[in-house]
Amino acid sequence: KAGVTQTPRYLIKTRGQQVTLSCSPISGHRSVSWYQQTPGQGLQFLFEYFSETQRNKGNFPGRFSGRQFSNSRSEMNVSTLELGDSALYLCASSWGQGAYEQYFGPGTRLTVT
Amino acid sequence: TQLLEQSPQFLSIQEGENLTVYCNSSSVFSSLQWYRQEPGEGPVLLVTVVTGGEVKKLKRLTFQFGDARKDSSLHITAAQPGDTGLYLCAGASNYQLIWGAGTKLIIKP
């Protein structure tokens, strides 16, 4: 079974721009969660999507948004990028909604200059 | 606010030594998951413990869930360089996962 895939793997953007990251979950998994990981803050939960609906949301500003498609693939968008948005963005899929075991992708390394 | 504290934050030891890392909270969790993350990769699930007092072994790794389901420990016997990585614990509560900040482990050959 193929694992979670994320594209792109690396991205460099300028302050003020926007970015869209993509995630394809493991086949059969219906939940996709997004996380931001930085050396200073560790792993921070952004949001979770299940059956195309956002089910949980972390404490991030409205510039961070996401969506899930009918095939469970998910995208997250960050608008008006700030230097502090530089991070590793991880996507994880799981069989069910909530606290199920997470299967992570390799992440997208975003650098904002 | 539920918190999950991991200790130590950083540990660097020689190959062959034993070590224990901890994951503590004042909250009760229905289960607790342990992950290992290597540089440039996403975390990989190692084990889930569900029952208070439960002990699970994965080769040289031993995981224990506290009797009160508020804490957990990971013990590594005869550590090897391949054990190097960031160890994360995540507690399940109210249909959400609460994540610890991680223990960065380096095993020197």
Side-chain angles (χ1 to χ4, degrees):
Chain A
K1 206 180 245 188
V4 177
T5 58
Q6 291 187 245
T7 56
R9 290 293 309 274
Y10 303 92
L11 206 49
I12 300 174
K13 290 286 190 179
T14 305
R15 266 184 308 176
Q17 289 186 314
Q18 73 165 13
V19 66
T20 298
L21 311 181
S22 181
C23 172
S24 292
I26 290 172
S27 177
H29 284 189
R30 296 170 60 193
S31 171
V32 173
S33 296
W34 288 89
Y35 296 85
Q36 181 194 68
Q37 188 175 39
T38 59
Q41 296 296 318
L43 193 68
Q44 303 282 313
F45 171 74
L46 280 157
F47 31 66
E48 178 190 15
Y49 284 86
F50 183 83
S51 293
E52 302 178 61
T53 302
Q54 189 180 92
R55 304 291 179 159
N56 279 308
K57 188 177 190 303
N59 189 25
F60 278 82
R63 300 186 297 106
F64 293 81
S65 63
R67 59 178 176 168
Q68 187 181 32
F69 303 96
S70 58
N71 61 358
S72 294
R73 192 177 68 85
S74 178
E75 291 181 346
M76 69 162 281
N77 183 277
V78 188
S79 62
T80 319
L81 284 165
E82 301 177 359
L83 294 179
D85 297 332
S86 294
L88 181 67
Y89 288 89
L90 291 161
C91 162
S93 74
S94 61
W95 182 83
Q97 175 196 339
Y100 283 82
E101 295 165 345
Q102 307 280 284
Y103 293 84
F104 285 86
T108 294
R109 171 73 64 185
L110 172 65
T111 302
V112 182
T113 62
Chain B
T1 303
Q2 292 179 300
L3 291 174
L4 204 49
E5 296 185 356
Q6 290 192 244
S7 61
Q9 288 182 303
F10 179 79
L11 186 59
S12 177
I13 61 171
Q14 292 293 139
E15 181 178 3
E17 293 184 14
N18 301 332
L19 67 109
T20 302
V21 297
Y22 301 92
C23 179
N24 294 305
S25 177
S26 57
S27 303
V28 176
F29 296 107
S30 55
S31 65
L32 196 133
Q33 301 163 16
W34 282 93
Y35 296 79
R36 179 171 65 211
Q37 183 178 21
E38 298 183 17
E41 300 295 330
V44 174
L45 178 70
L46 294 173
V47 78
T48 300
V49 285
V50 179
T51 308
E54 181 178 4
V55 176
K56 278 192 174 178
K57 291 192 175 183
L58 191 67
K59 295 184 181 178
R60 294 175 295 99
L61 278 60
T62 302
F63 303 84
Q64 184 163 9
F65 202 11
D67 291 340
R69 290 184 288 126
K70 294 181 179 182
D71 53 81
S72 181
S73 63
L74 158 59
H75 181 79
I76 300 179
T77 303
Q80 298 178 0
D83 297 325
T84 291
L86 177 68
Y87 288 80
L88 294 160
C89 63
S93 177
N94 296 323
Y95 304 102
Q96 297 183 55
L97 285 176
I98 309 300
W99 290 85
T103 292
K104 187 171 183 180
L105 177 63
I106 295 176
I107 310 299
K108 296 176 284 188

